[in-house]
Amino acid sequence: DQVAALEGGEGTPGKPKEPEPILTCVQCSAEYKESENAEGSCKYHAGQLKGVGHNFKYSCCNKGGRNYDSARDLPGCTKGKHRSKHHTEYFYAGYYFHMNDLSRKAKQLWLTMDLKDHVTECCEWAEVGLSDEGKVFILVGSVRNACGTCAEFSSEELKQCKEESFTALQMSDSVGWAIKAEIQSSDSEANAITVSIKSASSSIPLVKRVGLHFAGDVPMPGKVECLSDPSPAKPSAPYTIPEPT
């Protein structure tokens, strides 16, 4: 019986089978095994958590709590399958929580950008920094305090870049605004992150770049440069009224 339970077939000695890993769902925070991951086993919120002070509610079901943390822990209202990695196939509140945590718990915030859009009356934004887990993150969105999209990169991934430049994130809308984040590299190692934000009310994008280098395996920020700015140019000297002739 003992031999039959080993890998390699009945009667063939081998190593015991590895136990099935316990995964954590990014949508509902429950632990699960993939072999038991049936449709409907995950209950998550398909709407955003909104509110201020002592009144926070989900837009999907109107359930809420007295504060952000208590409302965040409420059981979900939408059923699906568990997922172990964050995704953008459909909206789930856990993705917004993850983005919020990346910004709120960041070890370092290297770059922040906000651009007012006079067509949508919103503010496109971006953040680049180092997470509490030691990964470089990029966050972008069309509205602050609303869900956008994010990307995370480990030191190993950044130190093995094969392309001189690749798009890490991209968002756009038919209205005319667009956000793009690119990672530049040389000698197969990332050396800069460039973020471009174009509002629907301007043809000139706001473009900023932060340098990137490594202290051993720790990502470190370099110089922050503004490569393009749609803001009206400021005069080099204050205006003075000419003397009458």
Side-chain angles (χ1 to χ4, degrees):
D1 290 341
Q2 182 179 3
V3 173
L6 301 178
E7 290 183 332
E10 185 176 352
T12 303
K15 294 182 180 179
K17 289 185 178 180
E18 292 290 334
E20 185 176 3
I22 304 296
L23 306 174
T24 300
C25 179
V26 297
Q27 299 176 158
C28 69
S29 301
E31 293 185 341
Y32 70 100
K33 293 181 179 180
E34 192 57 51
S35 62
E36 302 170 356
N37 189 15
E39 188 68 39
S41 58
C42 174
K43 294 182 179 180
Y44 63 92
H45 286 287
Q48 192 166 326
L49 180 61
K50 298 181 178 181
V52 292
H54 300 290
N55 186 20
F56 282 81
K57 292 184 178 181
Y58 286 98
S59 60
C60 49
C61 60
N62 213 35
K63 292 181 180 179
R66 290 185 57 82
N67 55 53
Y68 174 85
D69 290 326
S70 63
R72 177 171 174 167
D73 294 334
L74 288 174
C77 60
T78 304
K79 293 183 178 181
K81 295 183 72 173
H82 292 300
R83 303 287 291 267
S84 62
K85 294 183 179 180
H86 285 288
H87 61 89
T88 56
E89 294 176 23
Y90 49 82
F91 183 87
Y92 58 99
Y95 192 81
Y96 167 73
F97 297 148
H98 178 60
M99 287 189 63
N100 189 45
D101 287 344
L102 282 174
S103 178
R104 187 164 54 95
K105 299 178 181 179
K107 285 184 178 179
Q108 300 173 351
L109 198 56
W110 300 346
L111 177 67
T112 60
M113 299 169 64
D114 290 273
L115 184 62
K116 177 68 176 179
D117 195 319
H118 298 287
V119 172
T120 64
E121 293 301 322
C122 295
C123 185
E124 287 86 38
W125 63 276
E127 292 183 358
V128 179
L130 188 68
S131 74
D132 60 343
E133 296 180 350
K135 293 184 177 181
V136 173
F137 67 81
I138 305 172
L139 309 177
V140 301
S142 59
V143 183
R144 280 283 185 182
N145 299 321
C147 194
T149 188
C150 66
E152 297 173 79
F153 301 93
S154 66
S155 293
E156 184 178 359
E157 291 172 321
L158 292 171
K159 294 178 77 172
Q160 295 179 358
C161 291
K162 303 300 182 183
E163 303 176 56
E164 289 187 5
S165 179
F166 73 91
T167 301
L169 284 178
Q170 193 164 7
M171 288 183 70
S172 62
D173 188 86
S174 58
V175 175
W177 63 263
I179 309 173
K180 186 177 183 179
E182 297 176 284
I183 296 179
Q184 287 84 37
S185 64
S186 63
D187 299 325
S188 298
E189 183 173 288
N191 62 7
I193 299 174
T194 302
V195 182
S196 171
I197 302 178
K198 180 197 167 298
S199 71
S201 55
S202 175
S203 60
I204 303 173
L206 173 63
V207 183
K208 289 188 177 182
R209 178 171 61 199
V210 57
L212 178 65
H213 62 276
F214 298 89
D217 288 330
V218 181
M220 302 291 289
K223 181 181 179 181
V224 176
E225 300 175 277
C226 183
L227 307 181
S228 174
D229 191 346
S231 303
K234 295 182 179 180
S236 57
Y239 178 77
T240 58
I241 301 175
E243 292 291 335
T245 57

